[in-house]
Amino acid sequence: MNEIILDTETTGLSVQQGDRILEIACIETKDLIPTKKKFYKLINPEKEISEEAFKIHGYTYDVLKKEKKFNEVAEEFLEFIKGKKLIIHNAEFDLAHLNNELKLFGKDKINNEILDTLILARNKFPGSQASLDALCKKFRIDNSRRVTH
């Protein structure tokens, strides 16, 4: 089976307050082995980025306003994930933003099988922190060269 490991970055935390996607990153795997197929897009979110979000990902609106808008990359993205299981850490957040973007442009919600690694981590390590940083530390994954999310 092919899977897509997916992450997004956004202008803020709230779909209800109009926050938008500004980055989509996907890596395809087959039986969890990378296939070398990737989907990566920076996106013009058509709005300013909150200070809190900037601290996480480091993108400014000035950098992104020259990029394509979500509706200009949506078909390519949907084709890339079509029929594949999505593996997402905190899937509720990413899917809320992705589905909101799709709704803004008259597209159907994502209907893929979803594996949420945040839920897996919480079930496997109850009471422990389950952020990606905490999991990297737990599994001794060196992320010291990483500056932003």
Side-chain angles (χ1 to χ4, degrees):
M1 167 170 232
N2 287 42
E3 308 88 13
I4 300 292
I5 300 169
L6 182 149
D7 191 30
T8 64
E9 296 299 337
T10 63
T11 60
L13 299 177
S14 175
V15 169
Q16 292 78 18
Q17 292 182 6
D19 285 312
R20 305 283 303 274
I21 290 179
L22 55 85
E23 180 183 42
I24 302 174
C26 301
I27 298 171
E28 183 189 70
T29 63
K30 180 164 179 63
D31 299 322
L32 301 176
I33 308 288
T35 66
K36 299 187 181 178
K37 292 181 183 176
K38 298 176 183 175
F39 178 90
Y40 178 79
K41 298 288 183 196
L42 289 174
I43 297 167
N44 176 349
E46 303 181 79
K47 70 173 286 181
E48 289 295 331
I49 296 158
S50 73
E51 185 67 27
E52 297 80 22
F54 171 78
K55 288 177 186 175
I56 293 169
H57 52 62
Y59 291 116
T60 63
Y61 182 60
D62 282 343
V63 168
L64 297 169
K65 65 184 175 185
K66 69 181 186 320
E67 301 295 336
K68 290 181 178 180
K69 297 174 184 171
F70 184 87
N71 66 323
E72 297 173 295
V73 302
E75 289 301 327
E76 183 183 357
F77 168 69
L78 291 171
E79 188 59 34
F80 188 79
I81 68 168
K82 186 177 181 179
K84 299 169 187 162
K85 179 191 293 185
L86 302 181
I87 301 172
I88 308 170
H89 195 78
N90 194 4
E92 184 178 343
F93 177 84
D94 292 283
L95 290 172
H97 281 85
L98 286 165
N99 286 329
N100 181 63
E101 293 286 349
L102 293 167
K103 180 181 173 186
L104 291 173
F105 301 106
K107 302 283 184 190
D108 292 335
K109 288 182 176 183
I110 291 171
N111 195 23
N112 298 51
E113 179 182 353
I114 307 294
L115 176 66
D116 189 338
T117 57
L118 177 61
I119 292 170
L120 284 177
R122 286 180 175 161
N123 289 338
K124 179 77 175 162
F125 308 108
S128 296
Q129 293 223 358
S131 70
L132 289 176
D133 285 336
L135 292 170
C136 284
K137 190 173 183 177
K138 181 180 283 296
F139 291 109
R140 298 186 185 125
I141 297 169
D142 180 17
N143 65 359
S144 62
R145 291 184 289 171
R146 185 178 68 126
V147 178
T148 57
H149 189 257

